[in-house]
DNA sequence: TGCCGGCTTTGATCTGGATCAAGAGATGCA
DNA sequence: TGCATCTCTTGATCCAGATCAAAGCCGGCA
């Protein structure tokens, strides 16, 4: 066993970390990733299925919409965005995936991916070949339940984008959501590195880039956040939560 | 067997019809209602479970949000609306239910209804006590699959309300959706009686009542529809579809 | 028959956010 | 090191739709 110990945040975002070993049952993220809730012996069965993906460069695609579902992926390091093409041919940013989050559920229903997923920064993933995973679920019912749970979460997760909230509410909810997800299942972190460009955030929230920029400036003026390029500090958590109050929590 | 024969539209909307008998396996709507796709012998098993509800008066509630799920309901005659209360205490119209459509799926997940459902006109329903229904699904797998199908449909059905479509697109999609649903699974009917007041439509589509009124006027001016109070004729189907083109079909 | 209270339409004005336009930092590359 | 490009911010203007306000219109009821 590798003796290096990871601190809670060591593997998050841009701070690359050496993973102690390549087993779900030993992974420091494991408690919050696909093996969440699995008893140790079942988590160990995941080890035999999981493979480590090659390092992915910025803008490199994990898969494209229309391709058959071959595997599910868990983000190991970095960040991804999933996009779809709308009926007028414009790209829609469906969502972002941070470390320990699952990618590929969009392809489960039809067996074909509905979105394209690309890396926002240098990133890496764990690969769970879908066929092998499904074979496991038949006798590991906890895993099946966990997959269902993650699907529901995915469905709910996009609630903030829908509804007719205004730009401030959407953005506040989005920033809080990110802050919650940086430490998965841990408490909210007040320092967040935004791994995506402004344009992607604006697209995802369905507001113009200019509006995003202005609302961010307003939030800073109101002392809700401090922002230096991609690095955000949440200064007034309660204030930010109050702005987003109308948007349902949408997270689990 | 009752010898009276119903024409395709006889039971729809305000035209009250005598139902030949009170069995799912004999019901003229059955082909498009809960028993859809069930082999005859399994449809007959539904008969033993189904009960006929009393006539419901306008504005009378079928159930309220927060009440435990006791039964699923199929609309027999009339129309219903389902509503929820948002975080500011305002009523949100979630959707409308027309004859042969199922009511109560909102309570399946939590065992407690998430919406309140009330009659828009004098209406009647078929009642399927949930417990008995669930006991059936365990050995009638077709029924379980049908229930899943209807749930997915319900989830998809509200897609038009989300997304950032403009008032014209939303409304065109809504009117087309109604026209499709009046003859369930049959072809679209060009004459539709809107069973709900304008205010409910506006609330559901998240536009102001005044905007709704103006867009309806515009549609008439453009020769897309003709409208006399609650009675709508679709004049230019292709035109209406073109206006709604950006909104995903959302129906099955 | 005439009045009252819901609905629905129509008009005037206001506003959040989009769009257009231009400048200011960053970042990359030769 | 300097130019080109991309990203982000800031300012000006425009527009869809909300809001405010005031009629019509209809059905119910005394």
């Amino acid at each position: 066993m590798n003796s290096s110990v990871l601190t809670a945040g060591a593997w998050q975002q841009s701070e690359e970390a050496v993973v102690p070993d390549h087993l779900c049952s030993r992974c420091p993220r494991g408690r919050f990733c696909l093996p969440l809730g699995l008893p140790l012996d079942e988590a160990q069965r995941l080890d035999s299925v999981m493979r480590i993906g090659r390092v992915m460069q910025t803008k490199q695609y994990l898969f494209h919409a229309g391709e058959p579902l071959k595997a599910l992926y868990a983000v190991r390091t970095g960040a991804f965005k999933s996009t779809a093409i709308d009926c007028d041919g414009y790209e829609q940013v469906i969502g972002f995936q941070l470390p320990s989050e699952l990618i590929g559920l969009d392809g489960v229903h039809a067996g074909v991916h509905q979105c394209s997923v690309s890396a926002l920064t240098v990133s890496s993933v764990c690969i769970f070949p879908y066929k092998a995973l499904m074979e496991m679920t038949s006798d590991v019912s906890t895993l099946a339940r966990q997959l269902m749970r993650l699907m529901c979460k995915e469905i709910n997760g996009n609630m903030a984008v829908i509804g007719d909230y205004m730009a401030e509410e959407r953005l506040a909810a989005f920033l809080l959501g990110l802050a919650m997800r940086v430490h998965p299942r841990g408490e909210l972190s007040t320092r967040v590195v935004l791994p995506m460009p402004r344009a992607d955030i604006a697209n995802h929230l369905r507001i113009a880039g200019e509006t995003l920029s202005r609302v961010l400036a307003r939030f800073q003026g109101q002392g809700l956040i401090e922002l230096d390029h991609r690095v955000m500090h949440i200064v007034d958590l309660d204030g930010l939560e109050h702005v987003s109050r109308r948007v349902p929590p949408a997270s689990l």
Side-chain angles (χ1 to χ4, degrees), chain A:
Chain A
M1 188 194 314
N2 191 315
S3 64
S4 72
V5 173
L6 293 181
T7 58
W11 48 269
Q12 88 179 43
Q13 303 201 21
S14 54
E15 307 166 44
E16 283 289 334
V18 177
V19 176
D21 53 31
H22 290 162
L23 298 172
C24 279
S25 55
R26 301 280 178 82
C27 176
R29 306 171 202 78
R31 280 185 40 76
F32 310 112
C33 186
L34 185 56
L36 169 64
L38 295 191
L40 183 61
D41 58 318
E42 295 186 358
Q44 282 168 345
R45 295 195 50 188
L46 266 185
D47 296 342
S48 62
V49 163
M50 193 267 282
R51 296 185 349 244
I52 305 289
R54 290 188 338 286
V55 166
M56 295 192 58
Q57 298 305 314
T58 301
K59 295 189 179 175
Q60 192 180 344
Y61 279 84
L62 194 52
F63 52 76
H64 289 270
E67 290 177 8
L69 169 70
K70 292 194 294 268
L72 299 182
Y73 307 87
V75 181
R76 176 176 285 267
T77 59
F80 292 81
K81 72 168 171 180
S82 51
T83 55
I85 304 298
D86 75 9
C87 79
D88 294 331
Y90 293 108
E91 183 180 278
Q92 298 291 324
V93 176
I94 304 299
F96 303 101
Q97 287 79 38
L98 301 184
S100 90
E101 294 178 345
L102 213 54
I103 295 177
L105 289 174
D106 62 294
V108 171
H109 174 64
V112 168
H113 285 294
Q114 309 297 303
C115 306
S116 303
V117 171
S118 60
L120 286 163
T121 66
V122 173
S123 303
S124 61
V125 294
C126 303
I127 305 174
F128 300 92
Y130 188 65
K131 194 158 162 247
L133 207 56
M134 283 305 98
E135 281 161 7
M136 270 193 69
T137 57
S138 55
D139 46 25
V140 181
S141 68
T142 340
L143 180 59
R145 244 182 290 129
Q146 167 67 347
L147 279 171
M148 292 295 286
R149 206 188 63 84
L150 289 168
M151 281 184 213
C152 291
K153 185 175 172 181
E154 171 137 327
I155 292 168
N156 292 335
N158 291 324
M159 281 297 175
V161 185
I162 64 182
D164 61 346
Y165 308 108
M166 42 192 111
E168 288 197 348
E169 297 170 334
R170 283 162 138 73
L171 180 57
F174 175 76
L175 296 177
L176 285 171
L178 270 190
M180 301 285 300
R181 291 159 61 196
V182 164
H183 282 190
R185 314 290 296 157
E187 69 275 23
L188 183 143
S189 83
T190 54
R191 174 184 172 277
V192 180
V193 177
L194 308 176
M196 68 293 280
R198 300 278 193 275
D200 281 346
I201 301 179
N203 181 318
H204 178 55
L205 299 179
R206 294 165 182 272
I207 60 181
E210 295 90 331
T211 302
L212 172 64
S213 196
R214 276 183 257 265
V215 177
L216 282 174
R218 206 181 309 155
F219 281 180
Q220 288 183 87
Q222 295 167 331
L224 297 176
I225 61 172
E226 278 167 16
L227 194 54
D228 177 32
H229 300 96
R230 296 274 181 105
V231 180
M232 174 179 71
H233 278 262
I234 296 182
V235 178
D236 179 0
L237 183 59
D238 290 341
L240 205 55
E241 271 170 350
H242 184 257
V243 174
S244 75
R245 131 201 77 92
R246 280 171 37 81
V247 183
S251 43
L252 253 199

